[in-house]
Amino acid sequence: MTLLDRWLGFADRLSRYAIWFGGALVLASAVLVSVDVLLRKLLLVSLGGADELSGYAFAIGTTWALAFTLLRRANVRVDALYIHLPQVVCALLDIVALVALGGFLALLTWQAWDVLGTSLSFDARATTPLATPLWMPQSLWLIGLVFFLFTWAPLLLRSLFALLGGDLAKVRSLAGARTIEEDAADEAAHTAELKPAADLLKD
């Protein structure tokens, strides 16, 4: 249990850096596209490749955010029936959902690895003016998927041990669908953190 908790703690710290990196990529691509649009409108020139680079940024940023999303249980779950079920049934469904999510991402990771291998074998490049070597964005994309699995594995094991030990509350805190109360509490905490900064700006 201690090993798994440490593993999850380490993954959580890494996921914070990963989501900042992914967010920075998406923000940079938005700035690049905006500048390109303005240049086309005002000066009738183009930076070239803005749409291509923004596509890479979105794909990479998405996979690098997956681990953080998993640990925060921020992935979308349809819980109309779930919230009315007994706690033990909910715990079982949480495990099933976690296994299904991990299985899908494992398949996607395997396919991504195959795509990267093909790109490296043929020195594949984008059919665009930039002629970007495809292994570059594909490698970063794959790293995000691998990191998700690195985070998912201890989360699944810890949830399973909690279920076998009868700790249903722990299963819910690790893998359960978020409740309205939890979302409201997080929003309240976030607002409380921002309030001192807002007060300073007023002063």
Side-chain angles (χ1 to χ4, degrees):
M1 294 295 186
T2 302
L3 176 61
L4 291 175
D5 287 336
R6 288 180 178 175
W7 187 347
L8 283 172
F10 177 64
D12 183 64
R13 291 192 296 273
L14 285 182
S15 72
R16 293 175 182 271
Y17 294 112
I19 199 168
W20 276 103
F21 172 75
L25 279 182
V26 174
L27 180 60
S29 69
V31 172
L32 180 63
V33 170
S34 299
V35 170
D36 189 49
V37 170
L38 289 174
L39 288 176
R40 288 184 185 185
K41 181 68 174 179
L42 300 176
L43 302 177
L44 302 179
V45 296
S46 174
L47 295 176
D51 55 341
E52 178 186 354
L53 294 175
S54 63
Y56 298 148
F58 181 75
I60 295 165
T62 298
T63 62
W64 280 57
L66 290 175
F68 185 86
T69 303
L70 176 67
L71 291 172
R72 295 299 177 280
R73 297 179 292 140
N75 49 303
V76 176
R77 297 262 307 263
V78 179
D79 59 356
L81 179 62
Y82 172 91
I83 58 177
H84 300 291
L85 295 174
Q87 193 174 12
V88 65
V89 177
C90 289
L92 289 171
L93 291 176
D94 292 335
I95 298 296
V96 170
L98 198 55
V99 170
L101 179 63
F104 171 74
L105 265 296
L107 178 61
L108 183 59
T109 303
W110 176 57
Q111 292 295 329
W113 176 265
D114 186 57
V115 168
L116 175 60
T118 301
S119 296
L120 287 169
S121 298
F122 293 97
D123 190 25
R125 294 175 178 270
T127 55
T128 63
L130 293 180
T132 307
L134 292 178
W135 68 267
M136 293 181 179
Q138 288 172 356
S139 296
L140 292 173
W141 180 55
L142 178 61
I143 288 172
L145 294 172
V146 171
F147 180 52
F148 170 86
L149 293 177
F150 173 81
T151 304
W152 169 82
L155 185 66
L156 175 63
L157 290 174
R158 188 66 181 86
S159 299
L160 282 171
F161 284 131
L163 178 63
L164 293 174
D167 191 351
L168 301 182
K170 185 66 175 179
V171 177
R172 185 178 186 85
S173 69
L174 290 171
R178 290 179 63 85
T179 63
I180 296 176
E181 291 76 15
E182 286 176 313
D183 289 334
D186 284 349
E187 288 297 327
H190 183 63
T191 302
E193 290 174 359
L194 294 178
K195 192 176 185 300
D199 291 340
L200 286 175
L201 290 175
K202 289 179 182 178
D203 296 339

